[in-house]
Amino acid sequence: MLTPVPTATRTGTTGERFATLHHTILVILVLLISCLGGSSAFQSPTVVCNRANRLSFFVRHNSMAQEPSSQEDTVPHVANVLFVECGFGNDSHGQSATKAAVRACRNSIEFNSIPSINRLVPGGYDALKLDVILAVPPKYQKGLDLEAVAKVFPYGETKFTIQDGGMIAPSGIAISALGDVNDDMVIVCASVTVGY
């Protein structure tokens, strides 16, 4: 049985304890994403979306088990990492992986404000690069609209990597008026790396 820690022995402010809890939750979420991500031989589609032309997606399928096919594959998209945030989102009714992914990406970045980007990043906001990994249940990957998900990010060039993962959980009821074809809740996990 766990014994509560007396208030007198707790250290740090409420904000510090909250930050530690937030960090612990993020670590657990990253571990869950990696555990649910599938085997190392799994095919992971990668899509690059540039802010200047949202409709122009470059799509390539990378196998994590293969050797890089060009120098471009060995150079990371985000060479200088500023921060990494994780989040999750779900669609309780309608079975939309897109809606769940949009919510996961918003959850990843919604509490961030980095007013010093123009000083930190050569070229400012427009030179930002984002690597977004989405863990999506395989059953719902086909319906994922990455153009809609890309609209969550107001700046920079975004590269998406889709992994098997996330979760399908029962909502307990299928409501046809809400677009349900079954009682699946679609849950997507996101990891967003921001840098240049």
Side-chain angles (χ1 to χ4, degrees):
M1 174 166 25
L2 296 174
T3 307
V5 176
T7 307
T9 63
R10 291 183 183 163
T11 60
T13 65
T14 302
E16 290 169 338
R17 289 192 306 265
F18 178 78
T20 302
L21 176 64
H22 178 74
H23 180 267
T24 303
I25 291 170
L26 287 176
V27 169
I28 291 169
L29 184 59
V30 169
L31 290 172
L32 283 173
I33 290 171
S34 65
C35 289
L36 296 174
S39 71
S40 62
F42 144 83
Q43 292 288 328
S44 99
T46 301
V47 179
V48 177
C49 176
N50 191 321
R51 290 292 118 211
N53 188 357
R54 283 183 197 260
L55 300 177
S56 173
F57 285 90
F58 172 72
V59 181
R60 67 180 172 198
H61 292 273
N62 292 334
S63 171
M64 297 159 119
Q66 294 176 348
E67 292 296 316
S69 59
S70 69
Q71 174 141 358
E72 180 184 311
D73 291 336
T74 62
V75 177
H77 182 246
V78 178
N80 299 292
V81 176
L82 297 175
F83 65 92
V84 180
E85 288 287 342
C86 296
F88 86 97
N90 81 330
D91 183 25
S92 297
H93 297 287
Q95 294 74 47
S96 171
T98 301
K99 190 183 290 185
V102 164
R103 290 173 176 167
C105 290
R106 280 190 190 144
N107 184 241
S108 296
I109 66 166
E110 67 189 348
F111 299 110
N112 294 312
S113 174
I114 309 173
S116 58
I117 287 294
N118 285 326
R119 290 191 315 263
L120 294 173
V121 177
Y125 287 98
D126 290 331
L128 278 177
K129 292 186 176 183
L130 296 89
D131 278 341
V132 179
I133 300 171
L134 297 174
V136 182
K139 178 179 177 180
Y140 291 104
Q141 287 179 8
K142 186 178 267 188
L144 184 61
D145 178 359
L146 292 177
E147 183 178 343
V149 179
K151 291 178 183 177
V152 170
F153 305 105
Y155 308 108
E157 180 182 285
T158 305
K159 181 183 90 172
F160 290 95
T161 302
I162 311 305
Q163 296 181 351
D164 289 345
M167 180 187 296
I168 299 172
S171 68
I173 187 171
I175 304 172
S176 60
L178 296 177
D180 280 338
V181 294
N182 56 42
D183 75 338
D184 287 354
M185 282 194 303
V186 179
I187 301 167
V188 173
C189 300
S191 171
V192 180
T193 301
V194 178
Y196 61 97

